[in-house]
């Protein structure tokens, strides 16, 4: 249902938002038909895009965030999950940097290095178990790291938003088949 060449949150402000709550503005990323995991479109996170998926200030339950990610050779990407978002105090529960060249960094309770594949669709997952105060980061079906979600009390026991941000001119991360729910990713998903 999404149209390539148009902005995502502008097309669907019910499900998507931007950091500044300004769908159709400069932070709103474009739907693209350059690459797609399923269907014919994905959304591309480029410099100055800041896409937000609200989860509703959740304080209990086990939650799954997953999406297919594609980054062309020589490009980079970034996303995070926040335990607090406006009007709450901003609190980053974790950050994930996909650096150019296929290396990456998860910043949670510690910094954990990992590798990823350029020019390849890969499943990225974050599991947030608020009842057990645990976070997990997975890529390509391999768990990279598990940590205490609240990081010893430095962030709230809450899940508020997922955030996809393009910080530099080298950022070009394509996202498809985004899923959020209290069960693991189903077999069939709606693509962009």
């Amino acid at each position: 249902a999404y149209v390539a060449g148009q902005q995502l949150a502008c097309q669907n402000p019910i499900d998507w938002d931007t950091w500044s709550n300004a769908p159709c503005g400069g932070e709103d990323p474009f739907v693209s038909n350059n690459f797609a995991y399923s269907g014919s479109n994905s959304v591309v996170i480029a410099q100055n895009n800041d896409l937000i998926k609200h989860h509703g200030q959740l304080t209990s339950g086990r939650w799954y965030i997953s999406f297919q990610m594609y980054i062309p050779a020589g490009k980079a990407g970034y996303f995070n999950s926040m335990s607090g978002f406006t009007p709450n105090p901003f609190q980053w529960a974790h950050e994930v940097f996909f650096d150019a060249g296929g290396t990456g960094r998860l910043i949670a309770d510690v910094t954990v290095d990992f590798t990823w594949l350029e020019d390849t669709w890969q499943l990225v997952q974050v599991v947030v178990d608020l009842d057990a105060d645990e976070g997990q980061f997975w890529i390509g079906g391999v768990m990279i790291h598990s940590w205490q979600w609240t990081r010893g009390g430095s962030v709230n026991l809450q899940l508020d938003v997922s955030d996809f941000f393009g910080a530099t001119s080298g950022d070009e991360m394509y996202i498809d088949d985004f899923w959020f729910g209290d069960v693991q990713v189903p077999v069939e998903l709606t693509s962009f």
Side-chain angles (χ1 to χ4, degrees), residues 30-93:
F30 284 87
V31 173
S32 171
N33 58 10
N34 289 345
F35 304 99
Y37 180 76
S38 62
S40 59
N41 294 332
S42 61
V43 64
V44 58
I45 308 299
Q47 186 174 24
N48 298 323
N49 294 152
D50 206 342
L51 181 67
I52 297 291
K53 177 65 174 172
H54 293 279
H55 302 310
Q57 300 175 356
L58 300 167
T59 57
S60 65
R62 184 176 176 97
W63 301 96
Y64 299 86
I65 303 163
S66 67
F67 54 92
Q68 294 287 341
M69 173 204 72
Y70 181 98
I71 300 176
K75 299 296 183 178
Y78 169 87
F79 84 100
N80 68 66
S81 299
M82 298 180 71
S83 60
F85 190 68
T86 186
N88 300 313
F90 292 118
Q91 292 184 329
W92 282 258

Side-chain angles (χ1 to χ4, degrees), residues 15 21 26-27 30 37-38 52 67 70 84 87 98 108 110 114 118 122 131 140 151 154 165 171 175 177 182:
D15 293 324
N21 191 25
E27 293 176 331
F30 284 87
Y37 180 76
S38 62
I52 297 291
F67 54 92
Y70 181 98
F98 299 101
V110 296
F114 63 90
E118 296 178 305
Q122 293 167 90
D131 297 331
R151 297 193 282 173
S154 64
F165 178 56
D171 287 340
I175 305 295
D177 290 1
D182 61 358

Side-chain angles (χ1 to χ4, degrees), residues 35 69-77 98-104 114-122 139 170 172-174:
F35 304 99
M69 173 204 72
Y70 181 98
I71 300 176
K75 299 296 183 178
F98 299 101
D99 299 320
T103 61
F114 63 90
T115 59
W116 57 276
L117 301 173
E118 296 178 305
D119 294 324
T120 303
W121 284 102
Q122 293 167 90
I139 186 163
E172 186 179 339
M173 180 171 73
Y174 295 83

Side-chain angles (χ1 to χ4, degrees), residues 83-84 88-89 91 93 130 149-150 153-159:
S83 60
N88 300 313
Q91 292 184 329
L130 295 168
W149 184 254
T150 57
S154 64
V155 299
N156 292 333
L157 184 61
Q158 179 174 285
L159 174 59

Side-chain angles (χ1 to χ4, degrees), residues 97-172:
F97 294 84
F98 299 101
D99 299 320
T103 61
R105 295 167 285 135
L106 165 71
I107 300 174
D109 58 337
V110 296
T111 299
V112 179
D113 296 328
F114 63 90
T115 59
W116 57 276
L117 301 173
E118 296 178 305
D119 294 324
T120 303
W121 284 102
Q122 293 167 90
L123 180 63
V124 176
Q125 296 177 297
V126 176
V127 180
V128 182
D129 190 335
L130 295 168
D131 297 331
D133 191 8
E134 180 186 35
Q136 298 175 358
F137 172 63
W138 297 70
I139 186 163
V142 176
M143 186 170 68
I144 303 301
H145 185 60
S146 173
W147 70 97
Q148 182 186 29
W149 184 254
T150 57
R151 297 193 282 173
S154 64
V155 299
N156 292 333
L157 184 61
Q158 179 174 285
L159 174 59
D160 207 348
V161 303
S162 294
D163 174 30
F164 299 88
F165 178 56
T168 72
S169 61
D171 287 340
E172 186 179 339

